[in-house]
Amino acid sequence: MNLQSPHECASDRSIPAYRPRRLRQSRALRRLVAETRLSVEQLVLPLFVRPGRKLRRAIEAMPGVFQLSPDELLREASRVYELGVPAVLLFGIPDRKDEKASGACARNGIVQQTVRLLKKEVPDLLVITDVCLCEYMSHGHCGIVQRTDPSRAF
């Protein structure tokens, strides 16, 4: 194979045959030329909150992840905030579900209570809330399902 230049590749002209390893020789050079940087200030910790006190229930499908009562969630959120994580994402797990997702918009819903607690105790923590209704719906769909007249369907 006879290549014309160090950047030419015989099988695919868009992929360079020459990759400058000198840019990967040291940690300082790798940091200097890195395209993507991730730092703790960019992280958001997902947390699952359910009613109760001193509750820490393991989620089998996600090892190391727990459903937490608001008091336990406050402890966890405070701990990670002190470590530099600026934000949490709350997923609510209500005691009761219905066809209107009432718990999602209830003044004293589990997420609403937890947001107030977090903002009182850790005011600079960014609190993001999940707005999907599936966890609040008795049927598990993400939105309100209504039966309609089939003749009006489009």
PDB file of all heavy atoms in Angstrom, residues 100-135:
ATOM      1  N   LYS A 100     -56.309  10.313  37.506  1.00  0.00           N
ATOM      2  CA  LYS A 100     -56.079  11.729  37.225  1.00  0.00           C
ATOM      3  C   LYS A 100     -54.697  12.190  37.687  1.00  0.00           C
ATOM      4  O   LYS A 100     -54.387  13.364  37.602  1.00  0.00           O
ATOM      5  CB  LYS A 100     -57.149  12.578  37.907  1.00  0.00           C
ATOM      6  CG  LYS A 100     -58.535  12.332  37.372  1.00  0.00           C
ATOM      7  CD  LYS A 100     -59.532  13.208  38.077  1.00  0.00           C
ATOM      8  CE  LYS A 100     -60.930  12.919  37.555  1.00  0.00           C
ATOM      9  NZ  LYS A 100     -61.935  13.738  38.249  1.00  0.00           N
ATOM     10  N   ALA A 101     -53.891  11.293  38.203  1.00  0.00           N
ATOM     11  CA  ALA A 101     -52.557  11.630  38.708  1.00  0.00           C
ATOM     12  C   ALA A 101     -52.625  12.738  39.753  1.00  0.00           C
ATOM     13  O   ALA A 101     -51.806  13.649  39.777  1.00  0.00           O
ATOM     14  CB  ALA A 101     -51.625  12.006  37.564  1.00  0.00           C
ATOM     15  N   SER A 102     -53.598  12.650  40.644  1.00  0.00           N
ATOM     16  CA  SER A 102     -53.837  13.701  41.637  1.00  0.00           C
ATOM     17  C   SER A 102     -52.610  14.034  42.478  1.00  0.00           C
ATOM     18  O   SER A 102     -52.381  15.201  42.813  1.00  0.00           O
ATOM     19  CB  SER A 102     -54.975  13.289  42.567  1.00  0.00           C
ATOM     20  OG  SER A 102     -56.140  13.040  41.831  1.00  0.00           O
ATOM     21  N   GLY A 103     -51.819  13.045  42.820  1.00  0.00           N
ATOM     22  CA  GLY A 103     -50.637  13.283  43.648  1.00  0.00           C
ATOM     23  C   GLY A 103     -49.589  14.152  42.987  1.00  0.00           C
ATOM     24  O   GLY A 103     -48.785  14.791  43.663  1.00  0.00           O
ATOM     25  N   ALA A 104     -49.589  14.189  41.660  1.00  0.00           N
ATOM     26  CA  ALA A 104     -48.583  14.973  40.945  1.00  0.00           C
ATOM     27  C   ALA A 104     -48.779  16.469  41.131  1.00  0.00           C
ATOM     28  O   ALA A 104     -47.817  17.232  41.081  1.00  0.00           O
ATOM     29  CB  ALA A 104     -48.611  14.624  39.457  1.00  0.00           C
ATOM     30  N   CYS A 105     -50.019  16.892  41.345  1.00  0.00           N
ATOM     31  CA  CYS A 105     -50.270  18.330  41.484  1.00  0.00           C
ATOM     32  C   CYS A 105     -50.843  18.701  42.845  1.00  0.00           C
ATOM     33  O   CYS A 105     -51.228  19.848  43.068  1.00  0.00           O
ATOM     34  CB  CYS A 105     -51.168  18.827  40.361  1.00  0.00           C
ATOM     35  SG  CYS A 105     -52.758  18.002  40.300  1.00  0.00           S
ATOM     36  N   ALA A 106     -50.874  17.764  43.777  1.00  0.00           N
ATOM     37  CA  ALA A 106     -51.390  18.035  45.123  1.00  0.00           C
ATOM     38  C   ALA A 106     -50.425  18.946  45.882  1.00  0.00           C
ATOM     39  O   ALA A 106     -49.209  18.756  45.828  1.00  0.00           O
ATOM     40  CB  ALA A 106     -51.577  16.725  45.880  1.00  0.00           C
ATOM     41  N   ARG A 107     -50.953  19.919  46.562  1.00  0.00           N
ATOM     42  CA  ARG A 107     -50.112  20.853  47.324  1.00  0.00           C
ATOM     43  C   ARG A 107     -49.182  20.125  48.293  1.00  0.00           C
ATOM     44  O   ARG A 107     -48.045  20.515  48.488  1.00  0.00           O
ATOM     45  CB  ARG A 107     -50.989  21.847  48.080  1.00  0.00           C
ATOM     46  CG  ARG A 107     -50.202  22.777  48.972  1.00  0.00           C
ATOM     47  CD  ARG A 107     -50.932  24.042  49.290  1.00  0.00           C
ATOM     48  NE  ARG A 107     -50.261  24.838  50.286  1.00  0.00           N
ATOM     49  CZ  ARG A 107     -49.107  25.480  50.113  1.00  0.00           C
ATOM     50  NH1 ARG A 107     -48.490  25.407  48.967  1.00  0.00           N
ATOM     51  NH2 ARG A 107     -48.581  26.193  51.089  1.00  0.00           N
ATOM     52  N   ASN A 108     -49.666  19.055  48.886  1.00  0.00           N
ATOM     53  CA  ASN A 108     -48.848  18.293  49.821  1.00  0.00           C
ATOM     54  C   ASN A 108     -48.409  16.953  49.245  1.00  0.00           C
ATOM     55  O   ASN A 108     -48.206  15.996  49.983  1.00  0.00           O
ATOM     56  CB  ASN A 108     -49.582  18.103  51.147  1.00  0.00           C
ATOM     57  CG  ASN A 108     -49.614  19.400  51.930  1.00  0.00           C
ATOM     58  OD1 ASN A 108     -48.610  20.102  51.998  1.00  0.00           O
ATOM     59  ND2 ASN A 108     -50.759  19.729  52.470  1.00  0.00           N
ATOM     60  N   GLY A 109     -48.271  16.906  47.922  1.00  0.00           N
ATOM     61  CA  GLY A 109     -47.736  15.706  47.283  1.00  0.00           C
ATOM     62  C   GLY A 109     -46.311  15.459  47.746  1.00  0.00           C
ATOM     63  O   GLY A 109     -45.630  16.355  48.256  1.00  0.00           O
ATOM     64  N   ILE A 110     -45.827  14.257  47.568  1.00  0.00           N
ATOM     65  CA  ILE A 110     -44.512  13.888  48.084  1.00  0.00           C
ATOM     66  C   ILE A 110     -43.386  14.715  47.463  1.00  0.00           C
ATOM     67  O   ILE A 110     -42.455  15.132  48.156  1.00  0.00           O
ATOM     68  CB  ILE A 110     -44.269  12.361  47.955  1.00  0.00           C
ATOM     69  CG1 ILE A 110     -42.994  11.970  48.693  1.00  0.00           C
ATOM     70  CG2 ILE A 110     -44.205  11.926  46.500  1.00  0.00           C
ATOM     71  CD1 ILE A 110     -43.014  12.288  50.174  1.00  0.00           C
ATOM     72  N   VAL A 111     -43.463  15.000  46.186  1.00  0.00           N
ATOM     73  CA  VAL A 111     -42.416  15.817  45.553  1.00  0.00           C
ATOM     74  C   VAL A 111     -42.513  17.264  46.043  1.00  0.00           C
ATOM     75  O   VAL A 111     -41.496  17.888  46.354  1.00  0.00           O
ATOM     76  CB  VAL A 111     -42.501  15.736  44.016  1.00  0.00           C
ATOM     77  CG1 VAL A 111     -41.609  16.770  43.358  1.00  0.00           C
ATOM     78  CG2 VAL A 111     -42.103  14.339  43.544  1.00  0.00           C
ATOM     79  N   GLN A 112     -43.727  17.778  46.143  1.00  0.00           N
ATOM     80  CA  GLN A 112     -43.899  19.155  46.586  1.00  0.00           C
ATOM     81  C   GLN A 112     -43.361  19.340  48.015  1.00  0.00           C
ATOM     82  O   GLN A 112     -42.663  20.317  48.306  1.00  0.00           O
ATOM     83  CB  GLN A 112     -45.386  19.547  46.515  1.00  0.00           C
ATOM     84  CG  GLN A 112     -45.941  19.601  45.108  1.00  0.00           C
ATOM     85  CD  GLN A 112     -46.381  18.249  44.549  1.00  0.00           C
ATOM     86  OE1 GLN A 112     -45.864  17.201  44.900  1.00  0.00           O
ATOM     87  NE2 GLN A 112     -47.343  18.272  43.642  1.00  0.00           N
ATOM     88  N   GLN A 113     -43.670  18.400  48.901  1.00  0.00           N
ATOM     89  CA  GLN A 113     -43.154  18.468  50.280  1.00  0.00           C
ATOM     90  C   GLN A 113     -41.629  18.438  50.289  1.00  0.00           C
ATOM     91  O   GLN A 113     -40.983  19.191  51.017  1.00  0.00           O
ATOM     92  CB  GLN A 113     -43.646  17.264  51.093  1.00  0.00           C
ATOM     93  CG  GLN A 113     -45.105  17.241  51.410  1.00  0.00           C
ATOM     94  CD  GLN A 113     -45.470  15.932  52.101  1.00  0.00           C
ATOM     95  OE1 GLN A 113     -44.669  15.342  52.827  1.00  0.00           O
ATOM     96  NE2 GLN A 113     -46.690  15.470  51.863  1.00  0.00           N
ATOM     97  N   THR A 114     -41.070  17.569  49.464  1.00  0.00           N
ATOM     98  CA  THR A 114     -39.624  17.392  49.437  1.00  0.00           C
ATOM     99  C   THR A 114     -38.919  18.614  48.853  1.00  0.00           C
ATOM    100  O   THR A 114     -37.865  19.017  49.352  1.00  0.00           O
ATOM    101  CB  THR A 114     -39.260  16.109  48.673  1.00  0.00           C
ATOM    102  OG1 THR A 114     -39.995  15.018  49.237  1.00  0.00           O
ATOM    103  CG2 THR A 114     -37.782  15.814  48.747  1.00  0.00           C
ATOM    104  N   VAL A 115     -39.503  19.217  47.837  1.00  0.00           N
ATOM    105  CA  VAL A 115     -38.912  20.437  47.271  1.00  0.00           C
ATOM    106  C   VAL A 115     -38.866  21.526  48.345  1.00  0.00           C
ATOM    107  O   VAL A 115     -37.838  22.193  48.526  1.00  0.00           O
ATOM    108  CB  VAL A 115     -39.688  20.924  46.029  1.00  0.00           C
ATOM    109  CG1 VAL A 115     -39.241  22.330  45.620  1.00  0.00           C
ATOM    110  CG2 VAL A 115     -39.512  19.953  44.870  1.00  0.00           C
ATOM    111  N   ARG A 116     -39.969  21.715  49.063  1.00  0.00           N
ATOM    112  CA  ARG A 116     -39.989  22.740  50.122  1.00  0.00           C
ATOM    113  C   ARG A 116     -38.922  22.451  51.184  1.00  0.00           C
ATOM    114  O   ARG A 116     -38.210  23.358  51.630  1.00  0.00           O
ATOM    115  CB  ARG A 116     -41.380  22.823  50.752  1.00  0.00           C
ATOM    116  CG  ARG A 116     -42.398  23.492  49.852  1.00  0.00           C
ATOM    117  CD  ARG A 116     -43.698  23.810  50.574  1.00  0.00           C
ATOM    118  NE  ARG A 116     -44.447  22.636  50.983  1.00  0.00           N
ATOM    119  CZ  ARG A 116     -45.383  22.039  50.233  1.00  0.00           C
ATOM    120  NH1 ARG A 116     -45.688  22.533  49.035  1.00  0.00           N
ATOM    121  NH2 ARG A 116     -46.018  20.985  50.684  1.00  0.00           N
ATOM    122  N   LEU A 117     -38.793  21.191  51.584  1.00  0.00           N
ATOM    123  CA  LEU A 117     -37.795  20.811  52.581  1.00  0.00           C
ATOM    124  C   LEU A 117     -36.380  21.098  52.082  1.00  0.00           C
ATOM    125  O   LEU A 117     -35.555  21.692  52.795  1.00  0.00           O
ATOM    126  CB  LEU A 117     -37.958  19.330  52.928  1.00  0.00           C
ATOM    127  CG  LEU A 117     -36.954  18.733  53.909  1.00  0.00           C
ATOM    128  CD1 LEU A 117     -37.079  19.390  55.279  1.00  0.00           C
ATOM    129  CD2 LEU A 117     -37.150  17.223  53.998  1.00  0.00           C
ATOM    130  N   LEU A 118     -36.090  20.686  50.865  1.00  0.00           N
ATOM    131  CA  LEU A 118     -34.752  20.893  50.308  1.00  0.00           C
ATOM    132  C   LEU A 118     -34.423  22.374  50.175  1.00  0.00           C
ATOM    133  O   LEU A 118     -33.310  22.806  50.502  1.00  0.00           O
ATOM    134  CB  LEU A 118     -34.627  20.212  48.940  1.00  0.00           C
ATOM    135  CG  LEU A 118     -34.549  18.687  48.957  1.00  0.00           C
ATOM    136  CD1 LEU A 118     -34.645  18.137  47.537  1.00  0.00           C
ATOM    137  CD2 LEU A 118     -33.266  18.211  49.632  1.00  0.00           C
ATOM    138  N   LYS A 119     -35.361  23.172  49.687  1.00  0.00           N
ATOM    139  CA  LYS A 119     -35.101  24.599  49.490  1.00  0.00           C
ATOM    140  C   LYS A 119     -34.938  25.325  50.826  1.00  0.00           C
ATOM    141  O   LYS A 119     -34.207  26.298  50.919  1.00  0.00           O
ATOM    142  CB  LYS A 119     -36.195  25.258  48.650  1.00  0.00           C
ATOM    143  CG  LYS A 119     -36.258  24.751  47.212  1.00  0.00           C
ATOM    144  CD  LYS A 119     -34.910  24.671  46.518  1.00  0.00           C
ATOM    145  CE  LYS A 119     -34.379  25.981  46.065  1.00  0.00           C
ATOM    146  NZ  LYS A 119     -33.065  25.899  45.392  1.00  0.00           N
ATOM    147  N   LYS A 120     -35.588  24.821  51.869  1.00  0.00           N
ATOM    148  CA  LYS A 120     -35.431  25.410  53.198  1.00  0.00           C
ATOM    149  C   LYS A 120     -34.059  25.074  53.784  1.00  0.00           C
ATOM    150  O   LYS A 120     -33.378  25.929  54.342  1.00  0.00           O
ATOM    151  CB  LYS A 120     -36.538  24.888  54.124  1.00  0.00           C
ATOM    152  CG  LYS A 120     -36.434  25.398  55.539  1.00  0.00           C
ATOM    153  CD  LYS A 120     -37.531  24.803  56.410  1.00  0.00           C
ATOM    154  CE  LYS A 120     -37.322  25.212  57.862  1.00  0.00           C
ATOM    155  NZ  LYS A 120     -38.174  24.442  58.755  1.00  0.00           N
ATOM    156  N   GLU A 121     -33.653  23.816  53.645  1.00  0.00           N
ATOM    157  CA  GLU A 121     -32.425  23.339  54.287  1.00  0.00           C
ATOM    158  C   GLU A 121     -31.161  23.517  53.442  1.00  0.00           C
ATOM    159  O   GLU A 121     -30.072  23.671  53.989  1.00  0.00           O
ATOM    160  CB  GLU A 121     -32.583  21.866  54.676  1.00  0.00           C
ATOM    161  CG  GLU A 121     -33.729  21.603  55.637  1.00  0.00           C
ATOM    162  CD  GLU A 121     -33.512  22.254  56.999  1.00  0.00           C
ATOM    163  OE1 GLU A 121     -32.345  22.384  57.425  1.00  0.00           O
ATOM    164  OE2 GLU A 121     -34.516  22.634  57.627  1.00  0.00           O
ATOM    165  N   VAL A 122     -31.289  23.438  52.123  1.00  0.00           N
ATOM    166  CA  VAL A 122     -30.138  23.573  51.223  1.00  0.00           C
ATOM    167  C   VAL A 122     -30.550  24.551  50.106  1.00  0.00           C
ATOM    168  O   VAL A 122     -30.781  24.133  48.969  1.00  0.00           O
ATOM    169  CB  VAL A 122     -29.717  22.208  50.628  1.00  0.00           C
ATOM    170  CG1 VAL A 122     -28.359  22.311  49.932  1.00  0.00           C
ATOM    171  CG2 VAL A 122     -29.689  21.111  51.676  1.00  0.00           C
ATOM    172  N   PRO A 123     -30.681  25.834  50.431  1.00  0.00           N
ATOM    173  CA  PRO A 123     -31.283  26.786  49.491  1.00  0.00           C
ATOM    174  C   PRO A 123     -30.565  26.923  48.144  1.00  0.00           C
ATOM    175  O   PRO A 123     -31.206  27.232  47.138  1.00  0.00           O
ATOM    176  CB  PRO A 123     -31.281  28.108  50.256  1.00  0.00           C
ATOM    177  CG  PRO A 123     -30.427  27.909  51.439  1.00  0.00           C
ATOM    178  CD  PRO A 123     -30.304  26.449  51.685  1.00  0.00           C
ATOM    179  N   ASP A 124     -29.264  26.683  48.103  1.00  0.00           N
ATOM    180  CA  ASP A 124     -28.534  26.848  46.840  1.00  0.00           C
ATOM    181  C   ASP A 124     -28.529  25.586  45.974  1.00  0.00           C
ATOM    182  O   ASP A 124     -28.020  25.604  44.855  1.00  0.00           O
ATOM    183  CB  ASP A 124     -27.094  27.288  47.115  1.00  0.00           C
ATOM    184  CG  ASP A 124     -27.039  28.707  47.661  1.00  0.00           C
ATOM    185  OD1 ASP A 124     -27.954  29.507  47.338  1.00  0.00           O
ATOM    186  OD2 ASP A 124     -26.097  29.017  48.412  1.00  0.00           O
ATOM    187  N   LEU A 125     -29.090  24.514  46.480  1.00  0.00           N
ATOM    188  CA  LEU A 125     -29.190  23.283  45.701  1.00  0.00           C
ATOM    189  C   LEU A 125     -30.203  23.485  44.572  1.00  0.00           C
ATOM    190  O   LEU A 125     -31.302  23.986  44.803  1.00  0.00           O
ATOM    191  CB  LEU A 125     -29.652  22.133  46.598  1.00  0.00           C
ATOM    192  CG  LEU A 125     -29.864  20.776  45.929  1.00  0.00           C
ATOM    193  CD1 LEU A 125     -28.531  20.183  45.484  1.00  0.00           C
ATOM    194  CD2 LEU A 125     -30.568  19.827  46.887  1.00  0.00           C
ATOM    195  N   LEU A 126     -29.831  23.127  43.363  1.00  0.00           N
ATOM    196  CA  LEU A 126     -30.759  23.173  42.237  1.00  0.00           C
ATOM    197  C   LEU A 126     -31.635  21.923  42.313  1.00  0.00           C
ATOM    198  O   LEU A 126     -31.119  20.802  42.353  1.00  0.00           O
ATOM    199  CB  LEU A 126     -29.999  23.206  40.912  1.00  0.00           C
ATOM    200  CG  LEU A 126     -30.832  23.153  39.642  1.00  0.00           C
ATOM    201  CD1 LEU A 126     -31.765  24.352  39.553  1.00  0.00           C
ATOM    202  CD2 LEU A 126     -29.930  23.079  38.429  1.00  0.00           C
ATOM    203  N   VAL A 127     -32.948  22.128  42.367  1.00  0.00           N
ATOM    204  CA  VAL A 127     -33.885  21.008  42.482  1.00  0.00           C
ATOM    205  C   VAL A 127     -34.695  20.926  41.195  1.00  0.00           C
ATOM    206  O   VAL A 127     -35.391  21.863  40.830  1.00  0.00           O
ATOM    207  CB  VAL A 127     -34.822  21.176  43.694  1.00  0.00           C
ATOM    208  CG1 VAL A 127     -35.789  20.009  43.781  1.00  0.00           C
ATOM    209  CG2 VAL A 127     -34.010  21.301  44.986  1.00  0.00           C
ATOM    210  N   ILE A 128     -34.577  19.802  40.524  1.00  0.00           N
ATOM    211  CA  ILE A 128     -35.291  19.536  39.270  1.00  0.00           C
ATOM    212  C   ILE A 128     -36.321  18.458  39.586  1.00  0.00           C
ATOM    213  O   ILE A 128     -36.030  17.529  40.343  1.00  0.00           O
ATOM    214  CB  ILE A 128     -34.318  19.042  38.182  1.00  0.00           C
ATOM    215  CG1 ILE A 128     -33.173  20.042  37.991  1.00  0.00           C
ATOM    216  CG2 ILE A 128     -35.053  18.791  36.868  1.00  0.00           C
ATOM    217  CD1 ILE A 128     -31.996  19.474  37.217  1.00  0.00           C
ATOM    218  N   THR A 129     -37.517  18.579  39.021  1.00  0.00           N
ATOM    219  CA  THR A 129     -38.530  17.558  39.292  1.00  0.00           C
ATOM    220  C   THR A 129     -38.960  16.876  38.000  1.00  0.00           C
ATOM    221  O   THR A 129     -39.058  17.509  36.958  1.00  0.00           O
ATOM    222  CB  THR A 129     -39.771  18.159  39.980  1.00  0.00           C
ATOM    223  OG1 THR A 129     -40.347  19.137  39.135  1.00  0.00           O
ATOM    224  CG2 THR A 129     -39.399  18.775  41.314  1.00  0.00           C
ATOM    225  N   ASP A 130     -39.203  15.590  38.096  1.00  0.00           N
ATOM    226  CA  ASP A 130     -39.736  14.812  36.986  1.00  0.00           C
ATOM    227  C   ASP A 130     -41.210  15.185  36.836  1.00  0.00           C
ATOM    228  O   ASP A 130     -41.935  15.273  37.821  1.00  0.00           O
ATOM    229  CB  ASP A 130     -39.595  13.328  37.306  1.00  0.00           C
ATOM    230  CG  ASP A 130     -40.239  12.435  36.265  1.00  0.00           C
ATOM    231  OD1 ASP A 130     -40.031  12.677  35.061  1.00  0.00           O
ATOM    232  OD2 ASP A 130     -40.950  11.499  36.657  1.00  0.00           O
ATOM    233  N   VAL A 131     -41.648  15.421  35.613  1.00  0.00           N
ATOM    234  CA  VAL A 131     -43.044  15.805  35.402  1.00  0.00           C
ATOM    235  C   VAL A 131     -43.870  14.722  34.711  1.00  0.00           C
ATOM    236  O   VAL A 131     -45.028  14.930  34.399  1.00  0.00           O
ATOM    237  CB  VAL A 131     -43.163  17.143  34.615  1.00  0.00           C
ATOM    238  CG1 VAL A 131     -42.600  18.281  35.433  1.00  0.00           C
ATOM    239  CG2 VAL A 131     -42.490  17.040  33.260  1.00  0.00           C
ATOM    240  N   CYS A 132     -43.270  13.566  34.495  1.00  0.00           N
ATOM    241  CA  CYS A 132     -44.016  12.468  33.905  1.00  0.00           C
ATOM    242  C   CYS A 132     -45.068  11.985  34.899  1.00  0.00           C
ATOM    243  O   CYS A 132     -44.817  11.893  36.093  1.00  0.00           O
ATOM    244  CB  CYS A 132     -43.073  11.329  33.544  1.00  0.00           C
ATOM    245  SG  CYS A 132     -43.900   9.988  32.682  1.00  0.00           S
ATOM    246  N   LEU A 133     -46.253  11.685  34.407  1.00  0.00           N
ATOM    247  CA  LEU A 133     -47.357  11.290  35.282  1.00  0.00           C
ATOM    248  C   LEU A 133     -47.455   9.787  35.522  1.00  0.00           C
ATOM    249  O   LEU A 133     -48.270   9.346  36.337  1.00  0.00           O
ATOM    250  CB  LEU A 133     -48.681  11.790  34.694  1.00  0.00           C
ATOM    251  CG  LEU A 133     -48.815  13.303  34.543  1.00  0.00           C
ATOM    252  CD1 LEU A 133     -50.149  13.643  33.910  1.00  0.00           C
ATOM    253  CD2 LEU A 133     -48.645  13.999  35.878  1.00  0.00           C
ATOM    254  N   CYS A 134     -46.642   8.985  34.852  1.00  0.00           N
ATOM    255  CA  CYS A 134     -46.825   7.529  34.911  1.00  0.00           C
ATOM    256  C   CYS A 134     -46.801   6.965  36.325  1.00  0.00           C
ATOM    257  O   CYS A 134     -47.565   6.059  36.637  1.00  0.00           O
ATOM    258  CB  CYS A 134     -45.809   6.813  34.027  1.00  0.00           C
ATOM    259  SG  CYS A 134     -44.092   7.109  34.484  1.00  0.00           S
ATOM    260  N   GLU A 135     -45.958   7.470  37.188  1.00  0.00           N
ATOM    261  CA  GLU A 135     -45.863   6.945  38.551  1.00  0.00           C
ATOM    262  C   GLU A 135     -47.087   7.293  39.391  1.00  0.00           C
ATOM    263  O   GLU A 135     -47.370   6.649  40.385  1.00  0.00           O
ATOM    264  CB  GLU A 135     -44.599   7.475  39.227  1.00  0.00           C
ATOM    265  CG  GLU A 135     -44.265   6.784  40.527  1.00  0.00           C
ATOM    266  CD  GLU A 135     -43.976   5.299  40.380  1.00  0.00           C
ATOM    267  OE1 GLU A 135     -43.314   4.897  39.415  1.00  0.00           O
ATOM    268  OE2 GLU A 135     -44.428   4.529  41.252  1.00  0.00           O
TER     269      GLU A 135
END
